[in-house]
Amino acid sequence: MKSLLLLFLTSLSAYAADFKATNTGIEITAGSLGSFTLSYPEFEPPHKIIEVKAVSASAMLRYEGGAQCVVSAGPDGIGVVFKDVPADVKSWKMTTLIDIGFAKGGSWRIGDKEGVFQAKKASPPQIASLNSTTFLVKNAQGQSLNFLTPDYAFQQLTDNREWNWAVYHWQFIVPYAAERSVAKIKVTADLASVTKLIDPFGQSLKDTFSNKLKSLDELKADVEADKTYYASIETPKLDRFGGLPGSGEALGLKKTGFFHVEQKEGKSWLVDPDGNAFFHLGVCGFAPNDDYTYVKGREGIYEWLPKLDSEYRSAFREGNSDHFSFYIANTIKKFGAAYDFESHAERMIERVKKWGFNSIGAFSPTPKKAAFPYVAHLPINEWEGVPRIPGAHEVWDPFYEATAAKIAENIAREVPSRANDPMLIGWFIVNEPRYDELPRVIPSLDGKHACKRELVAALKAKYSTVEAFNTAWQAKAASFDELADSGLAVTTDTAKADVKAFVGTFLETYFTQIEKVFRQHDANHMLIGSRLQPITIEDEQLCRIMGSHVDVVSYNYYTYGVDTAALKRLHEWTGGKPMMLSEFFWASPKDSGLIGGREVSSQQERGLAYRNYVEQSAALAFVVGIEWFTLVDQATTGRWFSQYNGESYNTGLISVADRPWKDMLAEMMKTNHKIYDLLMGKRPPFAWDDARFKMK
């Protein structure tokens, strides 16, 4: 172990600026080509990684079964050194994900086999599978990244859209032998090429589609065309919040002055402040955000980019010249005025109300002038001073006193000012936390994390002696004190049960902490959950604990067909709490010049998919609302905060050219304008007769 540690420390002198060790692998930064994370070696048969110590561009790993590995990166590539590898290990592999944006003109080569990344999902999903030591990936500009793997490697490139994940996946597998315990992966890049890819309106140059803006004259003519379009839409009569007039009296609902939920004859109702039934039809991203893109370092791909100090200054995010919104620039050209959120919100509220949406969804500031229902997020984001547990996305440590104090401080500062706002529907806790990672992550942490110290304390309290612990966990610890700073192998059934029990304690502490301080400062509004992903919510223990602390469970449910049986099971697990389906969309790459997302073939099909999803869900007795993601399409060159690897999906109700996707919206309005007829039992839910949208 001493010699391995010496090699680990020595490797730091070979640090290269374009490599960085993270908790999940070596991050390779290749300029505007993007970032790629090469995972740490995985064994076959599997031996889980139980500890990662990453410093600069090197990492030291420990595995179940006693194996160790040092991965270190330098100017000439990535070195791998194995030690104490169990005799049953036959091979090892490393993998990386390749952004779906490479389908916009990118290509690949493995050995002497080559091809292009297709805009359409590959069938079969295995694009290439062969023995080779070379792999090259190239983007539409002609920039490339090249890997030279160890000898005897087998490589596979797959299109993960087959499994509803818009990304490509590359892996190489190398046979393991004791005499080949040292390996090298050479990584080189060619970033010289620059090609124009984006027109002056932020649209793809190479793609054509019916909604594409062709000229400035067209954009300005849209002002009058929009007036005619919106004037032609007839909307139903609703109360001032978007609820159903007279339904409160008919259903016996209470008028409390705030949004709340009630149970009537086995059905959950979301009730607006006037006491009427309200189905939350929200739209996420009401303010420009996903339409900003990162332009620094790739200015040459755009046919037009203004200067920061120009009439387009308001199209740069917070005055940052690196982040530019072609959408905002187009509205400046269209309306002849700089962007400001209040004017934008007023215009958008009028539009979405026409389309039958009745509220502002997640990731949106609150308009000061326009009265329109909205949701909010508790002020506990990481950038607000609440650090996260490494390896568990968006999860903080409730046992760490400084974190608990900061959360309380933030809530006390910001929540009371909205406690009496009747337009506020409720508060999300956080977005898509990976609670499901906790059983893996917590045992791997060191003692600087309070939750790891608490786990060790719980084990000591249960087993009393380290000998009893070693027997139960099949471990070789000399004392409980050494457990805090070392990764724990969770291999026995008893160990897994102990960790599950501790995660239950963690979650109970976490949600109690949030609920207690929230209720102290806002007694009027609902706590509406953490917008969980499918991989996270499928945990009965989590659902039962969470359900006892929130008023509504929020679930970012991305799917084709709505699995009503699964939704009912989750509802039961949460103790019967109402549910909000808080994020979903479908995209039509063929009709938008954008790539990725859950794909359908046209804008009309996006609308049909929406109708099927919303009506099948609303017909259940406990779904009280939905949130479409998002108002405006994502930027053609990707979202700003992911730099060169940003999503660029057709998520919007509106294109980058401020043009509504009218064929989609025509279908959406059939649902939105008649949603209360469905809820009141006056019509059956729409079911799309398409095999993709039927549950088998």
Side-chain angles (χ1 to χ4, degrees), residues 51 97 122 170 198 279 307 341 417 424 461 523 526 528 564 582:
E51 185 176 357
L97 300 178
W170 172 68
I198 305 298
F279 191 81
K307 300 292 185 182
F341 174 66
S417 64
L424 174 57
M526 299 182 292
I528 55 177
T564 55
S582 42

Side-chain angles (χ1 to χ4, degrees), residues 116-277:
V116 297
F117 290 104
Q118 299 282 354
K120 188 177 180 180
K121 181 178 72 175
S123 182
Q126 291 76 24
I127 299 171
S129 301
L130 66 155
N131 290 303
S132 179
T133 58
T134 61
F135 173 63
L136 179 141
V137 58
K138 183 182 293 186
N139 66 10
Q141 295 181 64
Q143 298 175 332
S144 62
L145 188 69
N146 189 69
F147 294 85
L148 179 63
T149 72
D151 291 340
Y152 313 112
F154 175 82
Q155 297 190 41
Q156 185 173 73
L157 179 65
T158 57
D159 185 342
N160 280 21
R161 284 178 290 183
E162 176 69 20
W163 301 281
N164 297 322
W165 187 12
V167 72
Y168 299 102
H169 177 271
W170 172 68
Q171 64 177 337
F172 67 87
I173 304 169
V174 180
Y176 180 77
E179 62 272 18
R180 294 196 298 272
S181 61
V182 177
K184 191 68 169 285
I185 302 96
K186 188 174 182 179
V187 184
T188 55
D190 180 356
L191 308 178
S193 297
V194 177
T195 303
K196 298 295 183 186
L197 301 175
I198 305 298
D199 74 12
F201 305 106
Q203 304 168 127
S204 168
L205 279 167
K206 76 178 186 68
D207 293 302
T208 57
F209 45 93
S210 60
N211 213 21
K212 190 173 185 179
L213 183 68
K214 299 179 180 66
S215 69
L216 182 58
D217 288 342
E218 276 193 2
L219 180 60
K220 292 183 175 180
D222 281 350
V223 175
E224 291 304 316
D226 285 352
K227 292 178 182 178
T228 301
Y229 167 66
Y230 291 109
S232 71
I233 300 173
E234 295 185 11
T235 57
K237 299 293 183 182
L238 302 172
D239 72 16
R240 62 190 177 123
F241 296 97
L244 180 62
S247 57
E249 183 177 354
L251 295 169
L253 304 174
K254 298 175 184 177
K255 180 179 178 179
T256 67
F258 298 97
F259 284 93
H260 63 282
V261 289
E262 293 186 33
Q263 297 285 331
K264 292 291 178 181
E265 298 181 357
K267 180 176 176 60
S268 295
W269 292 94
L270 180 55
V271 185
D272 72 21
D274 281 348
N276 287 319

